[in-house]
Amino acid sequence: MHYEELKARARVMKALSSPVRLKIVEELGKGERCICELQPLFRMNKSTLSRHVAALRNVGIVGERREGVKCMLRLLTPCVLNVFECAMGVIRAEARRQTKLVAGRHVAKP
Amino acid sequence: MHYEELKARARVMKALSSPVRLKIVEELGKGERCICELQPLFRMNKSTLSRHVAALRNVGIVGERREGVKCMLRLLTPCVLNVFECAMGVIRAEARRQTKLVAGRHVAKP
DNA sequence: TTTCTTTGTTGCATAGTTGCGCAACAATGC
DNA sequence: GCATTGTTGCGCAACTATGCAACAAAGAAA
């Protein structure tokens, strides 16, 4: 695969690599929201939240629609919600692996 | 969702947010590889490559099996390959959007 | 119209994180 | 001992997240 394509994919993944942005995506999965509706979910400066939203917009995960003074956000590609499934798969598999390690520790080589 | 879970997901996504690591994952999608087989695909110091692999191992995407002096790597959760599909969906949608913007530029407000 | 409020963005400074090569090291096998 | 394979400590450059303050845009109120 071309390196440019890998970089494009990496940019999308990077936009999803922050718990704050994942929470935004999760919330937008329920429907349109403006930033002022998202704000109470986080305790951070509105400028910081605005920048997180911008990161999601810049890669095309989130789109916006002006409505008066508000700016309604929505998921442009809801398939990102599926990505969560995979992430959970990785986390669960890792948890199982850790559990096994702990259980088998008393027979492991010293 | 609990913030701890969001952080766990974000860690997985972060491991996938580098073109180098995506290329490693892509290569391991074809089968087991040792780092020395991956090395010719990149022109970077082996220590750097080792750290990229470690990042994938730390979150449980990649596992290893010693074989003599080599260390065979494999995907523990091949579902990460599906994630690429979604990333491509985002990229394609964004490309379409950009195309539309360019096409419609001559009627946009100045 | 002018002023005020709400909503969101942007410049700046700071603290923290990441990616990288180099060099040294450990482990395995010849 | 020596070669191969991979990991780790260190320092540096580049990037990221954050809050603060100032700003812009749209509408409401005076």
Side-chain angles (χ1 to χ4, degrees):
Chain A
M1 197 191 319
H2 300 280
Y3 201 67
E4 283 307 315
E5 193 175 320
L6 286 166
K7 280 203 282 186
R9 290 185 186 190
R11 270 196 300 274
V12 173
M13 305 307 286
K14 181 168 246 160
L16 294 171
S17 72
S18 135
V20 172
R21 294 194 289 272
L22 288 182
K23 192 164 176 178
I24 294 172
V25 168
E26 187 192 28
E27 190 66 17
L28 293 182
K30 302 177 195 163
E32 275 195 338
R33 297 284 190 279
C34 66
I35 292 191
C36 58
E37 284 172 305
L38 296 176
Q39 212 169 342
L41 303 178
F42 304 91
R43 37 185 163 103
M44 54 173 40
N45 198 283
K46 62 177 177 170
S47 70
T48 303
L49 184 53
S50 169
R51 274 183 248 256
H52 279 294
V53 169
L56 291 168
R57 263 184 313 171
N58 286 341
V59 298
I61 293 175
V62 163
E64 69 187 2
R65 176 175 65 82
R66 302 287 313 189
E67 189 171 275
V69 77
K70 293 185 184 176
C71 173
M72 302 305 292
L73 306 170
R74 72 182 192 287
L75 287 188
L76 289 180
T77 44
C79 75
V80 294
L81 296 170
N82 303 345
V83 170
F84 293 171
E85 282 311 304
C86 172
M88 286 312 295
V90 173
I91 292 163
R92 275 192 295 265
E94 178 66 4
R96 275 197 300 273
R97 214 169 60 83
Q98 294 294 335
T99 307
K100 262 192 227 169
L101 279 180
V102 171
R105 186 168 286 168
H106 54 98
V107 293
K109 65 180 176 182
Chain B
M1 196 193 316
H2 297 158
Y3 201 68
E4 283 307 314
E5 195 175 320
L6 285 166
K7 280 204 282 187
R9 290 185 186 192
R11 270 196 300 275
V12 174
M13 305 307 286
K14 180 168 248 161
L16 294 171
S17 72
S18 135
V20 171
R21 294 193 290 271
L22 288 183
K23 191 163 176 178
I24 293 172
V25 168
E26 188 193 27
E27 190 65 19
L28 294 182
K30 303 177 194 164
E32 274 194 339
R33 297 283 190 279
C34 65
I35 292 192
C36 59
E37 284 171 304
L38 296 176
Q39 212 169 341
L41 303 178
F42 304 91
R43 37 187 163 102
M44 54 173 37
N45 198 285
K46 62 178 179 170
S47 71
T48 302
L49 184 54
S50 169
R51 272 183 250 256
H52 279 294
V53 169
L56 291 169
R57 262 185 314 170
N58 286 340
V59 297
I61 293 175
V62 163
E64 68 185 4
R65 175 174 66 81
R66 303 289 309 191
E67 187 171 278
V69 78
K70 293 186 186 176
C71 174
M72 302 306 292
L73 306 170
R74 70 181 192 287
L75 287 187
L76 289 179
T77 44
C79 74
V80 294
L81 296 171
N82 303 344
V83 170
F84 293 170
E85 282 311 304
C86 172
M88 286 313 295
V90 173
I91 292 163
R92 275 192 294 265
E94 178 66 4
R96 276 196 298 275
R97 214 169 60 84
Q98 294 294 335
T99 307
K100 264 192 225 169
L101 280 181
V102 172
R105 186 166 288 169
H106 55 100
V107 292
K109 64 178 178 186

